């Protein structure tokens, strides 16, 4: 459970409790959550970028309500990957991209007509078939403002 304004993790629910109130959590997602809590960089395993013909990153976000309960996944658009040499890490450090992402999130939330929902996590993948790499929204915004 995260603070709605800062994105700070304030409570970690036991896996079985979470599965009872919403959905099962994969081992990969559990490992990513652990890395987010400990502030380690989150890398998705088995990301193969050498033989890709992808030209864009695909970005989506998970919208949750004020209690942190998943509501839906929204498309946040795409962004060219060639200028970043297919590197998601380079992408999330680009202030121009983060500005685009921030504006897109604001538009989506305002269109939902509720001030209590927010985009909790962002998924970025290389092309349509790439493995998604997950970030908290605040993690991306904070990393760009620090560079």
């Amino acid at each position: 459970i995260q603070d709605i304004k800062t994105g700070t993790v304030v409570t970690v629910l036991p896996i079985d409790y979470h599965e009872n109130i919403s959905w099962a959590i994969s081992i990969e997602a559990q490992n990513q959550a652990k890395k987010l809590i400990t502030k380690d960089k989150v890398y998705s395993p088995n990301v193969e970028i050498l033989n890709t013909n992808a030209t864009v990153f695909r970005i989506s976000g998970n919208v949750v309500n004020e209690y942190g309960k998943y509501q839906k996944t929204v498309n946040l658009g795409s962004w060219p990957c060639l200028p970043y040499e297919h590197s998601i890490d380079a992408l999330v450090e680009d202030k121009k991209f983060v500005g685009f992402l921030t504006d897109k999130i604001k538009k989506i939330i305002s269109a939902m007509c509720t001030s209590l929902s927010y985009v909790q996590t962002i998924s970025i993948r290389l092309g349509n078939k790439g493995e998604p790499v997950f970030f908290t929204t605040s993690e991306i915004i904070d990393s760009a403002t620090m560079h």
Side-chain angles (χ1 to χ4, degrees), residues 31-99:
N31 289 335
Q32 287 182 343
K34 180 180 176 184
K35 289 176 182 177
L36 287 173
I37 291 169
T38 60
K39 300 291 185 200
D40 288 344
K41 287 219 180 243
V42 178
Y43 297 104
S44 184
N46 306 323
V47 175
E48 181 58 54
I49 62 171
L50 299 176
N51 297 321
T52 183
N53 59 358
T55 58
V56 294
F57 295 108
R58 299 284 181 194
I59 304 113
S60 60
N62 288 329
V63 176
V64 298
N65 65 15
E66 70 269 29
Y67 303 109
K69 183 170 172 51
Y70 171 82
Q71 291 183 309
K72 66 181 177 178
T73 298
V74 293
N75 178 6
L76 296 174
S78 60
W79 195 262
C81 61
L82 297 177
Y84 305 92
E85 298 178 349
H86 298 89
S87 169
I88 291 174
D89 288 333
L91 174 70
V92 298
E93 291 179 3
D94 180 5
K95 290 181 182 182
K96 186 176 176 184
F97 167 72
V98 173

Side-chain angles (χ1 to χ4, degrees), residues 12 15 18-19 23-37 42-45 62 121 131-132 134:
V12 178
I15 299 296
H18 188 278
E19 289 177 0
W23 65 88
I25 303 169
S26 70
I27 295 298
E28 181 181 335
Q30 292 175 42
N31 289 335
Q32 287 182 343
K34 180 180 176 184
K35 289 176 182 177
L36 287 173
I37 291 169
V42 178
Y43 297 104
S44 184
N62 288 329
T121 55
E131 285 291 319
F134 296 93

